[in-house]
Amino acid sequence: MSYWASWPIIIVLMYQTSRLAPSDAFLLLGICGGSGVLARVVGSFMSPMQSATIARFHNLIMASVAALGCYALVDFSLHYALYFAVAVSGCSGLLYARAFDLSLVGSRADLSGEMLPSAWVVGIILVATFLAYLIVPLVVMVHLPLSGAAHEFVLSSGNLFIRRAPGSVIWLASFPLFIMALFLVSGVKQWCLPDRRFQFLTGKRQSLSPELLRNRHFWFIGILYNLTLGTFIGVSFVLPFVLEIVFGYSTLMLVWMAPFLAILSRPLGHWLGRLVGGTLITQVCLLLMAIFAALAAKQFELTHHQHDMRYFDVLFTCMLGLVISAAMANGSVVVTLHKVFPVAYINRALTWMGSFAMLGALYLPLRFAVAWQPFSFDQVMTEVALFFVAGFIFNYVIYLRRHGDFYNP
C-alpha cells in the first residue's frame, strides 16, 4: 500500500517542478483515490480461493504496476501513461481488503505468520502511509541514468532532513523503480522458497449474509467508521498538495507528521474506548473534529491570496488536530464494533466498512478540485465540519441514549 500512498507526495513534487497544473494534480489525486476505493470494494467480495490466486501473483502484478509508474514519470508528456499508472496503483487493495479474513488464520496473536490480529491489519495502512510520506522525498534524490528522468525544482522543496532550493534536480522515477525492485525480490522469494501460505479457517469466516446486511448496526457503525478512518485517509491524501498550492511552502518537511501522529493516536483511542466506553470517546473526538475543521475553514477564509504565510501555522495545527482526533475516534469505533457484533462477524464487518472508508481519498480531492478555481477551500472545510456535527448528533442518538439497543458500547 506504500506505493499507492506515495502518489500524493509524488504529485506535490511534480507540481514543484512546474510540470503539473493544480487542476491536473487534483484530477490525479482523485483518480488515485478512486483506484484504491474500487480495489478495496472488489476485494471485499472476493472468495478465499480468489484471494489466494491474487496473493500468488500479487508481487508480479505490482512489479508491473510500479514499472508502468516509472515509465510514466520519466516523461510527463505521456499523459495517458501517467493517468493509467495512477489509476492502477491502488490494485494492491484487492489483497488488503481480504487481509481481515487472513487475520483469522491460526490461534496465537503473534507475528510468526500464524495469526495477524485485525487491529494490526488496520495499522498496516497507517504505517504504509507514514513510510511513503517519509521516504519518497529521499528516494527521488537517487540519480537515474535515464534520458528525461531528471527534473529541476522551480519551487523550493524539502524533506525531514534537508531543504532543496530551486534549481535542484530530482529523479521522480526512482521511487517506483525502487518499489519494483522490492516486488521482484519478494516475487523470487515467494516462487522459489517453500510455500508457507496458511489456509483460511473457513469455519470462522462469515460472508456478507442477509442476516448481517439486515443488521442496522452494520450500517450505523459503517457511517461512524467512514467519518473517522475516511477522514484520516482523505485529509492525509489531500493535505500535502493543498498546503503547497495555498502557501507555496516546503510542506514535505511537515506533512509526514499527520500519518505518524495518527499511528500513535489510534491505539490511544482504542485503549480509552475500552476504559470508559467506545461511544463516549467517539463522541468527544467527533466534537474535536468539528472544532478543528471549523477553525481550519476560518484560516482558509482569512487567506485571501496564495502564499500568505500569516495563517499557515494555525491552519497546519488545526489539520493535524483533525487527523489525530479522527484516528483516535476510529480506534474507539472499533471498540464499539466489538461490543455490538458477535465475534464471527467482526472481521467481515471491518472488511466492508474499511473499504467504504476509503471514499475519503476520493471525495476530498474531487471536492477541493471543484473549490480550487474560486479559491473557496473554506467552504470545503465548513462542509466537513457540518458532517462531523451531524455525526456527533447521530452517535448520541444511536449509542448514548440509555434506552437504545446499546448504551455506550
Side-chain angles (χ1 to χ4, degrees), residues 10-33:
I10 292 175
I11 288 170
V12 169
L13 291 168
M14 292 170 68
Y15 173 76
Q16 290 175 331
T17 59
S18 76
R19 296 296 189 93
L20 205 62
S23 56
D24 293 331
F26 279 121
L27 176 60
L28 286 173
L29 283 173
I31 292 173
C32 186

Side-chain angles (χ1 to χ4, degrees), residues 228 265 285-286 288-289 292 320-330:
T228 55
S265 303
C285 289
L286 284 169
L288 291 175
M289 290 161 66
F292 282 126
L320 280 186
L322 176 57
V323 170
I324 292 170
S325 53
M328 286 185 61
N330 185 245

Side-chain angles (χ1 to χ4, degrees), residues 92-385:
S92 58
L94 289 170
L95 195 63
Y96 178 72
R98 304 305 299 157
F100 291 103
D101 283 340
L102 286 168
S103 70
L104 293 172
V105 174
S107 58
R108 293 189 292 118
D110 58 32
L111 297 179
S112 64
E114 296 187 8
M115 181 175 180
L116 187 65
S118 57
W120 282 86
V121 176
V122 178
I124 285 173
I125 187 64
L126 305 185
V127 174
T129 305
F130 163 65
L131 288 176
Y133 282 35
L134 191 62
I135 68 175
V136 170
L138 293 174
V139 175
V140 296
M141 291 189 293
V142 177
H143 180 270
L144 281 183
L146 297 175
S147 177
H151 304 286
E152 287 189 3
F153 281 124
V154 174
L155 303 174
S156 173
S157 186
N159 55 51
L160 178 62
F161 303 101
I162 61 174
R163 186 166 183 167
R164 298 173 67 81
S168 302
V169 179
I170 58 169
W171 294 266
L172 289 173
S174 295
F175 186 75
L177 187 64
F178 169 69
I179 292 294
M180 183 185 71
L182 291 180
F183 276 118
L184 287 176
V185 171
S186 183
V188 171
K189 173 181 177 294
Q190 180 185 29
W191 284 83
C192 296
L193 296 183
D195 186 6
R196 297 187 67 242
R197 286 180 292 125
F198 294 86
Q199 299 298 317
F200 285 95
L201 296 182
T202 54
K204 291 185 179 181
R205 181 184 181 275
Q206 298 292 334
S207 63
L208 280 173
S209 62
E211 179 184 356
L212 183 60
L213 293 175
R214 284 195 298 264
N215 188 328
R216 58 180 180 169
H217 295 284
F218 179 75
W219 304 103
F220 291 163
I221 297 181
I223 293 172
L224 296 174
Y225 205 88
N226 207 338
L227 279 171
T228 55
L229 185 65
T231 297
F232 158 70
I233 294 176
V235 172
S236 295
F237 220 71
V238 80
L239 182 61
F241 187 65
V242 168
L243 292 179
E244 190 68 37
I245 62 174
V246 173
F247 297 103
Y249 183 69
S250 181
T251 55
L252 294 187
M253 304 179 76
L254 302 172
V255 292
W256 60 270
M257 295 171 62
F260 174 70
L261 293 174
I263 294 172
L264 303 179
S265 303
R266 192 178 182 279
L268 176 61
H270 190 274
W271 176 73
L272 290 173
R274 295 181 63 183
L275 193 66
V276 299
T279 303
L280 182 60
I281 299 301
T282 304
Q283 189 77 342
V284 173
C285 289
L286 284 169
L287 178 60
L288 291 175
M289 290 161 66
I291 292 173
F292 282 126
L295 290 174
K298 183 62 177 178
Q299 299 309 305
F300 276 127
E301 181 184 3
L302 293 173
T303 308
H304 295 294
H305 55 85
Q306 288 179 269
H307 304 174
D308 187 350
M309 289 298 296
R310 291 178 297 171
Y311 308 104
F312 175 83
D313 294 339
V314 176
L315 176 62
F316 183 70
T317 302
C318 291
M319 298 302 278
L320 280 186
L322 176 57
V323 170
I324 292 170
S325 53
M328 286 185 61
N330 185 245
S332 58
V333 166
V334 173
V335 174
T336 299
L337 184 145
H338 278 75
K339 299 290 181 65
V340 169
F341 288 102
V343 173
Y345 290 98
I346 289 174
N347 280 25
R348 180 74 285 199
L350 272 174
T351 302
W352 186 249
M353 294 172 187
S355 297
F356 274 92
M358 297 278 283
L359 283 170
L362 174 61
Y363 169 75
L364 280 179
L366 295 181
R367 183 64 187 90
F368 272 99
V370 172
W372 161 242
Q373 290 298 339
F375 203 64
S376 55
F377 290 164
D378 56 305
Q379 294 182 12
V380 180
M381 296 310 298
T382 300
E383 293 169 8
V384 170

